[in-house]
Amino acid sequence: MWETEEFGASHEGRPGAVLAGGVEPKPVYVDTGSGAEIHKISDWWVYDGTRRAPLATALRGSCSCGWRGTDLHSLDWQEVTDAGGPDLYDITGPEADWDQHIDDIEARTIPVPDDITALLTQLRTRLDTLAKDAPLAALKVIGALERTSADTARAAAYAVDTDEKPWDMIATALGLTEADARALLRRYTRRF
């Protein structure tokens, strides 16, 4: 699974299996034999043509937001075996496509002012040094930052006019899915 710290679960990427003809396969259900629960799996390596699974012929980048890459990367099952299994197989093509998707998401988000970016970079550098030299002082500063950011987050979340701005616009500005944007604003507006 590929992920970014900024976008979290809204944009988790992975290589997706593609069948001949460009069709994305349905999940494979696996009976583990222990109880009534049947597990469903959709990892690309399951689609090897065995155990009632269809045979994937290509991979493409995919994202939890629903995005699917248009580039198909040939899948050679003999190379999967020769590489030592799915964990060692080269999936850099689909990952590069997902990276481009993330760049596109980032480009549509609301920009962070340059002075704030510079301050955050400077603060991170200073805190890293402080954590090594005086860890208790670093923890005290981090506590103060958490309180400050919580207060500011609450004020900003209350200031977002969800009647004026549609949720899809809010989600795009934050680089999140609509569900995750709603959850974020709910979390920030909660009183602790």
Side-chain angles (χ1 to χ4, degrees):
M1 193 76 72
W2 311 308
E3 57 189 11
T4 67
E5 209 173 313
E6 182 175 4
F7 301 128
S10 283
H11 295 286
E12 290 178 336
R14 65 188 191 119
V18 180
L19 306 178
V23 177
E24 184 172 324
K26 294 182 190 245
V28 172
Y29 292 90
V30 179
D31 184 359
T32 58
S34 60
E37 190 171 320
I38 297 178
H39 297 281
K40 76 177 179 180
I41 302 172
S42 56
D43 294 319
W44 70 268
W45 50 264
V46 170
Y47 303 99
D48 63 357
T50 65
R51 297 178 304 270
R52 295 185 293 177
L55 180 65
T57 58
L59 296 175
R60 69 176 166 198
S62 66
C63 186
S64 60
C65 72
W67 170 87
R68 297 297 183 260
T70 55
D71 292 342
L72 298 181
H73 305 273
S74 293
L75 177 56
D76 183 334
W77 287 101
Q78 185 58 51
E79 283 185 33
V80 173
T81 302
D82 293 347
D87 291 338
L88 301 175
Y89 186 69
D90 180 14
I91 55 171
T92 54
E95 186 174 10
D97 296 341
W98 177 80
D99 287 339
Q100 181 58 56
H101 166 64
I102 294 301
D103 289 346
D104 295 343
I105 294 296
E106 177 66 39
R108 291 192 301 265
T109 63
I110 193 153
V112 176
D114 291 339
D115 63 324
I116 299 291
T117 300
L119 281 171
L120 288 171
T121 301
Q122 184 181 7
L123 182 60
R124 176 64 187 258
T125 302
R126 181 65 179 102
L127 281 174
D128 286 345
T129 301
L130 191 60
K132 291 176 192 163
D133 298 341
L136 293 176
L139 291 172
K140 186 172 181 179
V141 172
I142 290 167
L145 285 171
E146 286 176 344
R147 290 186 298 279
T148 300
S149 65
D151 290 345
T152 304
R154 188 176 300 111
Y158 276 117
V160 173
D161 189 348
T162 56
D163 291 330
E164 285 292 316
K165 282 191 166 88
W167 278 104
D168 63 331
M169 183 185 292
I170 294 168
T172 298
L174 297 173
L176 304 174
T177 62
E178 278 189 49
D180 287 345
R182 287 175 186 267
L184 182 72
L185 264 63
R186 269 194 311 272
R187 181 168 57 96
Y188 285 158
T189 55
R190 249 188 237 136
R191 297 258 178 218
F192 294 98

